[in-house]
Amino acid sequence: MASILESDEWQKATEYRITDEDIARQQQLIGHDQASRTREYVQTATEDTIRNFAHGVGNDNPLHCDPDYARGTRWGGIIAPGMMAGIINAPMRGDPTPDHIRALKKSLFRGIHVFVSGSKWDWYHPVRPGDTLYSFEGWESCDVKQSEFAGRSVINVLRHVKVNQRSEVVAIYRVLTVLTERGTAKKKGKYAAIEPATYTDEDIAKVDAIYEAEEVRGATPRDYADVTVGDSLGTMAKGPLTVTDVICFHAAGYGFTPYAPSVGRLAYKNRKRIAPFYIKNEYGVPDVAQRLHWDPVWAQAIGNPMAYDYGVMRENYLHHYLTDWAGDDGVVLHVHDEIRKFNYMGDVQTITGEVTGKREEGGQSIVDVAVRFTNQRGEETVKATATIALPSAGRPVLYPAVPPEIAARAVAMMARHWELGRGK
């Protein structure tokens, strides 16, 4: 059987290039917000979907998973892990996309590979069972750079404003994506020498020892006065990464709509809609380009030695780590993460962090922390900073106010949503 790298399908896939015209069109889209009409796997949070999402990233914190426990916390019930706001979405009604915006978007960066390389999060309200989330989104920036891995690449930042049914801004999620040319990435072969990790029973026992020692702060408040600059946040393990981990993440609610893996007739309809997203596998079957996260042959075809995780999986690992440390009464306010390396099948991520600063701000007691992920090869794969509010001298933590212009925009967008839905 011929290699996929020798097939006509692969040759066709590698013909797509980043063009100056596409870059110019992308830059003209900056500043235009529009209602997200995406229907994700989860549209309304429930105790079950919250628990399943937490479990999908290995998070068993009872604040997210145990209703009886959560009723005894300051929240009075289960709340979702903060980053779950990124995967909940019901279609928001809005005015039609202007013709000139529609023209700019048509076939933009057709056939170009996209991966997430980091994000910024700001949180303003918790997500509770019964909350339906909507969003509006727009591009904030578009930059071009030369990449050692893939030649010319484009770095875009897309801002998602997540809003609940009460028109409250729950979170602002800025996603940094990198677009690379498939053929160029293959030719560079930067990671070709990386060998798959293998483990002895003793190796697995060392990882298990980290899992055994992990601490969920939980109902024991972590008071601001007890925290000192330089303090360790402890150690957490994630891995070794398996295809099962990726499946669990999808099953927990990560749909990656509108490019979601689909079955049967739905896959056929999706393939008609976005044909370049489907590339034949080594058996001649059209399959999603997204399969690089579980298909080693396709991952190798685009220049990686094996399949690898979604960047958002590690972002959720990060939030798990922070909330385990902060406890039930603490609130993660802001996160900025940079994904530096791929997390390949078989890799173990060891998460460590430390307190880098303390301050009083806006009537809140704030702690700044720095976090890093390190794999079994000693490589830093994620670098992150976060801002956490902690209780102080019995004073409870409050979420910050939403920036006024974004709060007003959210109210206007939701008002239009309800107006367009009258009588339906």
Side-chain angles (χ1 to χ4, degrees):
M1 182 180 295
S3 164
I4 190 173
L5 300 180
E6 299 169 350
S7 68
D8 291 340
E9 194 70 20
W10 166 251
Q11 295 301 324
K12 180 180 177 181
T14 60
E15 291 174 359
Y16 296 109
R17 291 289 180 264
I18 293 171
T19 66
D20 291 340
E21 178 188 0
D22 279 345
I23 293 168
R25 288 163 61 195
Q26 177 69 56
Q27 290 172 339
Q28 292 178 65
L29 290 171
I30 293 172
H32 172 76
D33 280 332
Q34 69 176 45
S36 173
R37 295 175 173 83
T38 298
R39 182 185 65 189
E40 286 288 358
Y41 287 176
V42 178
Q43 299 179 75
T44 300
T46 68
E47 290 182 349
D48 288 338
T49 58
I50 291 171
R51 181 190 65 251
N52 290 339
F53 183 79
H55 284 180
V57 293
N59 186 347
D60 59 357
N61 189 326
L63 181 59
H64 313 309
C65 305
D66 185 341
D68 291 335
Y69 171 91
R71 278 192 288 271
T73 70
R74 62 164 287 195
W75 307 102
I78 279 179
I79 61 172
M83 286 190 178
M84 189 178 179
I87 66 100
I88 304 174
N89 206 75
M92 177 186 276
R93 303 180 188 92
D95 293 316
T97 303
D99 289 343
H100 73 284
I101 296 296
R102 191 185 301 276
L104 289 172
K105 290 183 175 182
K106 185 176 181 180
S107 299
L108 184 62
F109 294 115
R110 178 182 175 90
I112 299 300
H113 178 59
V114 183
F115 61 91
V116 174
S117 68
S119 70
K120 292 182 180 180
W121 276 90
D122 295 287
W123 287 277
Y124 302 98
H125 285 281
V127 174
R128 299 177 181 273
D131 282 350
T132 300
L133 295 194
Y134 306 85
S135 63
F136 58 92
E137 58 199 29
W139 297 101
E140 282 197 329
S141 64
C142 171
D143 297 303
V144 182
K145 66 176 291 187
Q146 291 298 124
S147 165
E148 180 183 358
F149 173 55
R152 186 160 78 155
S153 59
V154 175
I155 302 173
N156 293 327
V157 175
L158 180 63
R159 186 189 72 184
H160 303 267
V161 180
K162 307 296 296 187
V163 187
N164 64 24
Q165 72 275 16
R166 295 177 293 276
S167 301
E168 298 167 335
V169 175
V170 169
I172 299 175
Y173 178 26
R174 293 174 171 89
V175 183
L176 191 153
T177 59
V178 178
L179 293 81
T180 62
E181 298 169 344
R182 293 171 182 163
T184 306
K186 172 65 181 70
K187 292 175 183 177
K188 293 296 179 181
K190 176 181 177 182
Y191 301 116
I194 296 177
E195 295 290 335
T198 58
Y199 296 86
T200 64
D201 289 347
E202 290 75 16
D203 293 331
I204 295 297
K206 291 178 182 177
V207 178
D208 288 348
I210 298 176
Y211 283 126
E212 183 68 27
E214 290 175 5
E215 177 190 9
V216 182
R217 185 71 177 188
T220 305
R222 186 178 294 280
D223 194 270
Y224 178 79
D226 297 330
V227 175
T228 302
V229 173
D231 282 354
S232 169
L233 273 62
T235 302
M236 176 178 281
K238 293 289 184 180
L241 181 69
T242 65
V243 172
T244 302
D245 295 346
V246 177
I247 292 171
C248 287
F249 189 55
H250 271 295
Y254 182 67
F256 203 58
T257 302
Y259 308 107
S262 305
V263 178
R265 185 166 62 242
L266 290 176
Y268 163 70
K269 289 180 177 179
N270 211 35
R271 179 155 44 94
K272 288 205 316 182
R273 184 178 64 87
I274 48 173
F277 188 65
Y278 284 78
I279 309 298
K280 287 182 181 178
N281 63 20
E282 63 268 37
Y283 307 107
V285 179
D287 200 356
V288 292
Q290 184 183 355
R291 70 185 188 271
L292 53 84
H293 295 293
W294 55 84
D295 182 346
V297 175
W298 178 238
Q300 290 164 8
I302 66 165
N304 275 284
M306 65 205 88
Y308 55 92
D309 72 347
Y310 291 100
V312 291
M313 289 177 68
R314 273 178 284 167
E315 291 174 341
N316 279 276
Y317 297 164
L318 169 63
H319 195 268
H320 179 196
Y321 177 72
L322 295 172
T323 52
D324 269 11
W325 180 82
D328 297 343
D329 292 350
V331 173
V332 179
L333 303 178
H334 173 79
V335 165
H336 176 203
D337 63 82
E338 300 173 7
I339 299 173
R340 300 294 187 87
K341 298 280 187 181
F342 292 102
N343 180 27
Y344 293 112
M345 290 297 158
D347 283 0
V348 172
Q349 300 296 323
T350 301
I351 310 172
T352 56
E354 67 173 328
V355 177
T356 58
K358 293 180 62 177
R359 65 186 189 279
E360 297 287 339
E361 183 178 294
Q364 296 289 294
S365 299
I366 304 296
V367 173
D368 297 310
V369 303
V371 180
R372 65 193 303 252
F373 289 42
T374 308
N375 64 22
Q376 75 282 355
R377 289 181 291 273
E379 301 167 327
E380 183 181 75
T381 70
V382 175
K383 179 181 180 180
T385 56
T387 303
I388 302 171
L390 293 178
S392 178
R395 182 180 61 192
V397 172
L398 302 175
Y399 278 92
V402 180
E405 68 280 6
I406 294 179
R409 179 70 170 149
V411 169
M413 294 289 285
M414 286 302 295
R416 185 59 173 154
H417 167 80
W418 298 124
E419 179 183 4
L420 292 171
R422 287 173 188 160
K424 294 184 180 180

mmCIF file with all atom_site columns, all heavy atoms in Angstrom, residues 222-241:
data_model
loop_
_atom_site.group_PDB
_atom_site.id
_atom_site.type_symbol
_atom_site.label_atom_id
_atom_site.label_alt_id
_atom_site.label_comp_id
_atom_site.label_asym_id
_atom_site.label_entity_id
_atom_site.label_seq_id
_atom_site.pdbx_PDB_ins_code
_atom_site.Cartn_x
_atom_site.Cartn_y
_atom_site.Cartn_z
_atom_site.occupancy
_atom_site.B_iso_or_equiv
_atom_site.pdbx_formal_charge
_atom_site.auth_seq_id
_atom_site.auth_comp_id
_atom_site.auth_asym_id
_atom_site.auth_atom_id
_atom_site.pdbx_PDB_model_num
ATOM 1   N N   . ARG A 1 222 ? -7.563 28.870 51.581 1.00 0.00 ? 222 ARG A N   1
ATOM 2   C CA  . ARG A 1 222 ? -6.180 29.319 51.465 1.00 0.00 ? 222 ARG A CA  1
ATOM 3   C C   . ARG A 1 222 ? -6.193 30.829 51.647 1.00 0.00 ? 222 ARG A C   1
ATOM 4   O O   . ARG A 1 222 ? -6.561 31.576 50.747 1.00 0.00 ? 222 ARG A O   1
ATOM 5   C CB  . ARG A 1 222 ? -5.577 28.933 50.120 1.00 0.00 ? 222 ARG A CB  1
ATOM 6   C CG  . ARG A 1 222 ? -4.074 29.260 50.033 1.00 0.00 ? 222 ARG A CG  1
ATOM 7   C CD  . ARG A 1 222 ? -3.475 28.832 48.724 1.00 0.00 ? 222 ARG A CD  1
ATOM 8   N NE  . ARG A 1 222 ? -3.476 27.386 48.542 1.00 0.00 ? 222 ARG A NE  1
ATOM 9   C CZ  . ARG A 1 222 ? -2.587 26.555 49.083 1.00 0.00 ? 222 ARG A CZ  1
ATOM 10  N NH1 . ARG A 1 222 ? -1.636 27.028 49.865 1.00 0.00 ? 222 ARG A NH1 1
ATOM 11  N NH2 . ARG A 1 222 ? -2.673 25.264 48.854 1.00 0.00 ? 222 ARG A NH2 1
ATOM 12  N N   . ASP A 1 223 ? -5.820 31.278 52.829 1.00 0.00 ? 223 ASP A N   1
ATOM 13  C CA  . ASP A 1 223 ? -5.894 32.698 53.148 1.00 0.00 ? 223 ASP A CA  1
ATOM 14  C C   . ASP A 1 223 ? -4.701 33.451 52.561 1.00 0.00 ? 223 ASP A C   1
ATOM 15  O O   . ASP A 1 223 ? -3.571 32.955 52.548 1.00 0.00 ? 223 ASP A O   1
ATOM 16  C CB  . ASP A 1 223 ? -5.946 32.908 54.665 1.00 0.00 ? 223 ASP A CB  1
ATOM 17  C CG  . ASP A 1 223 ? -6.364 34.320 55.031 1.00 0.00 ? 223 ASP A CG  1
ATOM 18  O OD1 . ASP A 1 223 ? -5.474 35.190 55.160 1.00 0.00 ? 223 ASP A OD1 1
ATOM 19  O OD2 . ASP A 1 223 ? -7.566 34.555 55.190 1.00 0.00 ? 223 ASP A OD2 1
ATOM 20  N N   . TYR A 1 224 ? -4.985 34.657 52.096 1.00 0.00 ? 224 TYR A N   1
ATOM 21  C CA  . TYR A 1 224 ? -3.958 35.509 51.493 1.00 0.00 ? 224 TYR A CA  1
ATOM 22  C C   . TYR A 1 224 ? -2.772 35.702 52.425 1.00 0.00 ? 224 TYR A C   1
ATOM 23  O O   . TYR A 1 224 ? -1.610 35.698 51.983 1.00 0.00 ? 224 TYR A O   1
ATOM 24  C CB  . TYR A 1 224 ? -4.599 36.851 51.145 1.00 0.00 ? 224 TYR A CB  1
ATOM 25  C CG  . TYR A 1 224 ? -3.688 37.897 50.558 1.00 0.00 ? 224 TYR A CG  1
ATOM 26  C CD1 . TYR A 1 224 ? -3.319 37.850 49.226 1.00 0.00 ? 224 TYR A CD1 1
ATOM 27  C CD2 . TYR A 1 224 ? -3.241 38.959 51.340 1.00 0.00 ? 224 TYR A CD2 1
ATOM 28  C CE1 . TYR A 1 224 ? -2.502 38.829 48.674 1.00 0.00 ? 224 TYR A CE1 1
ATOM 29  C CE2 . TYR A 1 224 ? -2.430 39.950 50.804 1.00 0.00 ? 224 TYR A CE2 1
ATOM 30  C CZ  . TYR A 1 224 ? -2.051 39.876 49.470 1.00 0.00 ? 224 TYR A CZ  1
ATOM 31  O OH  . TYR A 1 224 ? -1.250 40.847 48.939 1.00 0.00 ? 224 TYR A OH  1
ATOM 32  N N   . ALA A 1 225 ? -3.040 35.861 53.715 1.00 0.00 ? 225 ALA A N   1
ATOM 33  C CA  . ALA A 1 225 ? -1.964 36.133 54.680 1.00 0.00 ? 225 ALA A CA  1
ATOM 34  C C   . ALA A 1 225 ? -0.997 34.970 54.811 1.00 0.00 ? 225 ALA A C   1
ATOM 35  O O   . ALA A 1 225 ? 0.160  35.157 55.221 1.00 0.00 ? 225 ALA A O   1
ATOM 36  C CB  . ALA A 1 225 ? -2.567 36.466 56.045 1.00 0.00 ? 225 ALA A CB  1
ATOM 37  N N   . ASP A 1 226 ? -1.436 33.766 54.460 1.00 0.00 ? 226 ASP A N   1
ATOM 38  C CA  . ASP A 1 226 ? -0.589 32.590 54.609 1.00 0.00 ? 226 ASP A CA  1
ATOM 39  C C   . ASP A 1 226 ? 0.267  32.303 53.387 1.00 0.00 ? 226 ASP A C   1
ATOM 40  O O   . ASP A 1 226 ? 1.030  31.335 53.369 1.00 0.00 ? 226 ASP A O   1
ATOM 41  C CB  . ASP A 1 226 ? -1.462 31.358 54.892 1.00 0.00 ? 226 ASP A CB  1
ATOM 42  C CG  . ASP A 1 226 ? -2.227 31.494 56.193 1.00 0.00 ? 226 ASP A CG  1
ATOM 43  O OD1 . ASP A 1 226 ? -1.722 32.169 57.111 1.00 0.00 ? 226 ASP A OD1 1
ATOM 44  O OD2 . ASP A 1 226 ? -3.349 30.941 56.285 1.00 0.00 ? 226 ASP A OD2 1
ATOM 45  N N   . VAL A 1 227 ? 0.138  33.140 52.360 1.00 0.00 ? 227 VAL A N   1
ATOM 46  C CA  . VAL A 1 227 ? 0.871  32.923 51.103 1.00 0.00 ? 227 VAL A CA  1
ATOM 47  C C   . VAL A 1 227 ? 2.069  33.862 51.046 1.00 0.00 ? 227 VAL A C   1
ATOM 48  O O   . VAL A 1 227 ? 1.959  35.057 51.361 1.00 0.00 ? 227 VAL A O   1
ATOM 49  C CB  . VAL A 1 227 ? -0.055 33.166 49.892 1.00 0.00 ? 227 VAL A CB  1
ATOM 50  C CG1 . VAL A 1 227 ? 0.724  33.070 48.590 1.00 0.00 ? 227 VAL A CG1 1
ATOM 51  C CG2 . VAL A 1 227 ? -1.194 32.162 49.902 1.00 0.00 ? 227 VAL A CG2 1
ATOM 52  N N   . THR A 1 228 ? 3.212  33.333 50.644 1.00 0.00 ? 228 THR A N   1
ATOM 53  C CA  . THR A 1 228 ? 4.452  34.101 50.556 1.00 0.00 ? 228 THR A CA  1
ATOM 54  C C   . THR A 1 228 ? 5.018  33.995 49.147 1.00 0.00 ? 228 THR A C   1
ATOM 55  O O   . THR A 1 228 ? 4.941  32.929 48.515 1.00 0.00 ? 228 THR A O   1
ATOM 56  C CB  . THR A 1 228 ? 5.496  33.551 51.558 1.00 0.00 ? 228 THR A CB  1
ATOM 57  O OG1 . THR A 1 228 ? 4.945  33.611 52.879 1.00 0.00 ? 228 THR A OG1 1
ATOM 58  C CG2 . THR A 1 228 ? 6.786  34.351 51.502 1.00 0.00 ? 228 THR A CG2 1
ATOM 59  N N   . VAL A 1 229 ? 5.574  35.102 48.663 1.00 0.00 ? 229 VAL A N   1
ATOM 60  C CA  . VAL A 1 229 ? 6.233  35.074 47.353 1.00 0.00 ? 229 VAL A CA  1
ATOM 61  C C   . VAL A 1 229 ? 7.332  34.010 47.372 1.00 0.00 ? 229 VAL A C   1
ATOM 62  O O   . VAL A 1 229 ? 8.121  33.933 48.309 1.00 0.00 ? 229 VAL A O   1
ATOM 63  C CB  . VAL A 1 229 ? 6.811  36.456 47.004 1.00 0.00 ? 229 VAL A CB  1
ATOM 64  C CG1 . VAL A 1 229 ? 7.652  36.384 45.726 1.00 0.00 ? 229 VAL A CG1 1
ATOM 65  C CG2 . VAL A 1 229 ? 5.687  37.476 46.839 1.00 0.00 ? 229 VAL A CG2 1
ATOM 66  N N   . GLY A 1 230 ? 7.353  33.197 46.350 1.00 0.00 ? 230 GLY A N   1
ATOM 67  C CA  . GLY A 1 230 ? 8.304  32.095 46.272 1.00 0.00 ? 230 GLY A CA  1
ATOM 68  C C   . GLY A 1 230 ? 7.712  30.759 46.665 1.00 0.00 ? 230 GLY A C   1
ATOM 69  O O   . GLY A 1 230 ? 8.331  29.711 46.427 1.00 0.00 ? 230 GLY A O   1
ATOM 70  N N   . ASP A 1 231 ? 6.510  30.768 47.259 1.00 0.00 ? 231 ASP A N   1
ATOM 71  C CA  . ASP A 1 231 ? 5.858  29.512 47.630 1.00 0.00 ? 231 ASP A CA  1
ATOM 72  C C   . ASP A 1 231 ? 5.612  28.647 46.394 1.00 0.00 ? 231 ASP A C   1
ATOM 73  O O   . ASP A 1 231 ? 5.253  29.155 45.318 1.00 0.00 ? 231 ASP A O   1
ATOM 74  C CB  . ASP A 1 231 ? 4.498  29.778 48.291 1.00 0.00 ? 231 ASP A CB  1
ATOM 75  C CG  . ASP A 1 231 ? 4.620  30.212 49.736 1.00 0.00 ? 231 ASP A CG  1
ATOM 76  O OD1 . ASP A 1 231 ? 5.736  30.199 50.273 1.00 0.00 ? 231 ASP A OD1 1
ATOM 77  O OD2 . ASP A 1 231 ? 3.561  30.572 50.325 1.00 0.00 ? 231 ASP A OD2 1
ATOM 78  N N   . SER A 1 232 ? 5.769  27.340 46.569 1.00 0.00 ? 232 SER A N   1
ATOM 79  C CA  . SER A 1 232 ? 5.441  26.393 45.515 1.00 0.00 ? 232 SER A CA  1
ATOM 80  C C   . SER A 1 232 ? 3.941  26.138 45.491 1.00 0.00 ? 232 SER A C   1
ATOM 81  O O   . SER A 1 232 ? 3.282  26.122 46.536 1.00 0.00 ? 232 SER A O   1
ATOM 82  C CB  . SER A 1 232 ? 6.179  25.073 45.747 1.00 0.00 ? 232 SER A CB  1
ATOM 83  O OG  . SER A 1 232 ? 5.678  24.065 44.890 1.00 0.00 ? 232 SER A OG  1
ATOM 84  N N   . LEU A 1 233 ? 3.397  25.941 44.287 1.00 0.00 ? 233 LEU A N   1
ATOM 85  C CA  . LEU A 1 233 ? 2.000  25.569 44.142 1.00 0.00 ? 233 LEU A CA  1
ATOM 86  C C   . LEU A 1 233 ? 1.833  24.049 44.134 1.00 0.00 ? 233 LEU A C   1
ATOM 87  O O   . LEU A 1 233 ? 0.728  23.549 43.954 1.00 0.00 ? 233 LEU A O   1
ATOM 88  C CB  . LEU A 1 233 ? 1.414  26.147 42.849 1.00 0.00 ? 233 LEU A CB  1
ATOM 89  C CG  . LEU A 1 233 ? 0.836  27.570 42.893 1.00 0.00 ? 233 LEU A CG  1
ATOM 90  C CD1 . LEU A 1 233 ? 1.921  28.585 43.259 1.00 0.00 ? 233 LEU A CD1 1
ATOM 91  C CD2 . LEU A 1 233 ? 0.208  27.943 41.553 1.00 0.00 ? 233 LEU A CD2 1
ATOM 92  N N   . GLY A 1 234 ? 2.913  23.331 44.331 1.00 0.00 ? 234 GLY A N   1
ATOM 93  C CA  . GLY A 1 234 ? 2.852  21.880 44.326 1.00 0.00 ? 234 GLY A CA  1
ATOM 94  C C   . GLY A 1 234 ? 3.119  21.311 42.942 1.00 0.00 ? 234 GLY A C   1
ATOM 95  O O   . GLY A 1 234 ? 3.463  22.029 41.997 1.00 0.00 ? 234 GLY A O   1
ATOM 96  N N   . THR A 1 235 ? 2.968  20.021 42.817 1.00 0.00 ? 235 THR A N   1
ATOM 97  C CA  . THR A 1 235 ? 3.248  19.302 41.566 1.00 0.00 ? 235 THR A CA  1
ATOM 98  C C   . THR A 1 235 ? 2.033  18.490 41.156 1.00 0.00 ? 235 THR A C   1
ATOM 99  O O   . THR A 1 235 ? 1.402  17.829 41.977 1.00 0.00 ? 235 THR A O   1
ATOM 100 C CB  . THR A 1 235 ? 4.453  18.361 41.740 1.00 0.00 ? 235 THR A CB  1
ATOM 101 O OG1 . THR A 1 235 ? 5.597  19.126 42.149 1.00 0.00 ? 235 THR A OG1 1
ATOM 102 C CG2 . THR A 1 235 ? 4.781  17.644 40.439 1.00 0.00 ? 235 THR A CG2 1
ATOM 103 N N   . MET A 1 236 ? 1.702  18.554 39.875 1.00 0.00 ? 236 MET A N   1
ATOM 104 C CA  . MET A 1 236 ? 0.611  17.764 39.310 1.00 0.00 ? 236 MET A CA  1
ATOM 105 C C   . MET A 1 236 ? 1.147  17.026 38.092 1.00 0.00 ? 236 MET A C   1
ATOM 106 O O   . MET A 1 236 ? 2.018  17.534 37.381 1.00 0.00 ? 236 MET A O   1
ATOM 107 C CB  . MET A 1 236 ? -0.561 18.661 38.931 1.00 0.00 ? 236 MET A CB  1
ATOM 108 C CG  . MET A 1 236 ? -1.725 17.932 38.242 1.00 0.00 ? 236 MET A CG  1
ATOM 109 S SD  . MET A 1 236 ? -3.139 19.025 37.846 1.00 0.00 ? 236 MET A SD  1
ATOM 110 C CE  . MET A 1 236 ? -3.932 19.133 39.459 1.00 0.00 ? 236 MET A CE  1
ATOM 111 N N   . ALA A 1 237 ? 0.626  15.840 37.840 1.00 0.00 ? 237 ALA A N   1
ATOM 112 C CA  . ALA A 1 237 ? 0.985  15.079 36.643 1.00 0.00 ? 237 ALA A CA  1
ATOM 113 C C   . ALA A 1 237 ? -0.220 14.942 35.732 1.00 0.00 ? 237 ALA A C   1
ATOM 114 O O   . ALA A 1 237 ? -1.362 14.864 36.194 1.00 0.00 ? 237 ALA A O   1
ATOM 115 C CB  . ALA A 1 237 ? 1.505  13.699 37.024 1.00 0.00 ? 237 ALA A CB  1
ATOM 116 N N   . LYS A 1 238 ? 0.046  14.915 34.427 1.00 0.00 ? 238 LYS A N   1
ATOM 117 C CA  . LYS A 1 238 ? -0.962 14.595 33.415 1.00 0.00 ? 238 LYS A CA  1
ATOM 118 C C   . LYS A 1 238 ? -0.290 13.694 32.375 1.00 0.00 ? 238 LYS A C   1
ATOM 119 O O   . LYS A 1 238 ? 0.641  14.108 31.696 1.00 0.00 ? 238 LYS A O   1
ATOM 120 C CB  . LYS A 1 238 ? -1.494 15.862 32.746 1.00 0.00 ? 238 LYS A CB  1
ATOM 121 C CG  . LYS A 1 238 ? -2.295 16.786 33.651 1.00 0.00 ? 238 LYS A CG  1
ATOM 122 C CD  . LYS A 1 238 ? -3.654 16.207 34.024 1.00 0.00 ? 238 LYS A CD  1
ATOM 123 C CE  . LYS A 1 238 ? -4.484 17.195 34.843 1.00 0.00 ? 238 LYS A CE  1
ATOM 124 N NZ  . LYS A 1 238 ? -5.807 16.640 35.205 1.00 0.00 ? 238 LYS A NZ  1
ATOM 125 N N   . GLY A 1 239 ? -0.778 12.469 32.274 1.00 0.00 ? 239 GLY A N   1
ATOM 126 C CA  . GLY A 1 239 ? -0.210 11.568 31.294 1.00 0.00 ? 239 GLY A CA  1
ATOM 127 C C   . GLY A 1 239 ? 0.189  10.244 31.916 1.00 0.00 ? 239 GLY A C   1
ATOM 128 O O   . GLY A 1 239 ? -0.104 9.991  33.088 1.00 0.00 ? 239 GLY A O   1
ATOM 129 N N   . PRO A 1 240 ? 0.881  9.415  31.137 1.00 0.00 ? 240 PRO A N   1
ATOM 130 C CA  . PRO A 1 240 ? 1.256  9.589  29.733 1.00 0.00 ? 240 PRO A CA  1
ATOM 131 C C   . PRO A 1 240 ? 0.025  9.725  28.829 1.00 0.00 ? 240 PRO A C   1
ATOM 132 O O   . PRO A 1 240 ? -0.972 9.037  29.016 1.00 0.00 ? 240 PRO A O   1
ATOM 133 C CB  . PRO A 1 240 ? 2.025  8.298  29.401 1.00 0.00 ? 240 PRO A CB  1
ATOM 134 C CG  . PRO A 1 240 ? 2.476  7.752  30.726 1.00 0.00 ? 240 PRO A CG  1
ATOM 135 C CD  . PRO A 1 240 ? 1.386  8.132  31.682 1.00 0.00 ? 240 PRO A CD  1
ATOM 136 N N   . LEU A 1 241 ? 0.139  10.636 27.863 1.00 0.00 ? 241 LEU A N   1
ATOM 137 C CA  . LEU A 1 241 ? -0.971 10.943 26.974 1.00 0.00 ? 241 LEU A CA  1
ATOM 138 C C   . LEU A 1 241 ? -1.318 9.737  26.113 1.00 0.00 ? 241 LEU A C   1
ATOM 139 O O   . LEU A 1 241 ? -0.437 9.089  25.539 1.00 0.00 ? 241 LEU A O   1
ATOM 140 C CB  . LEU A 1 241 ? -0.610 12.128 26.071 1.00 0.00 ? 241 LEU A CB  1
ATOM 141 C CG  . LEU A 1 241 ? -1.698 12.585 25.099 1.00 0.00 ? 241 LEU A CG  1
ATOM 142 C CD1 . LEU A 1 241 ? -2.865 13.216 25.841 1.00 0.00 ? 241 LEU A CD1 1
ATOM 143 C CD2 . LEU A 1 241 ? -1.119 13.563 24.067 1.00 0.00 ? 241 LEU A CD2 1
#
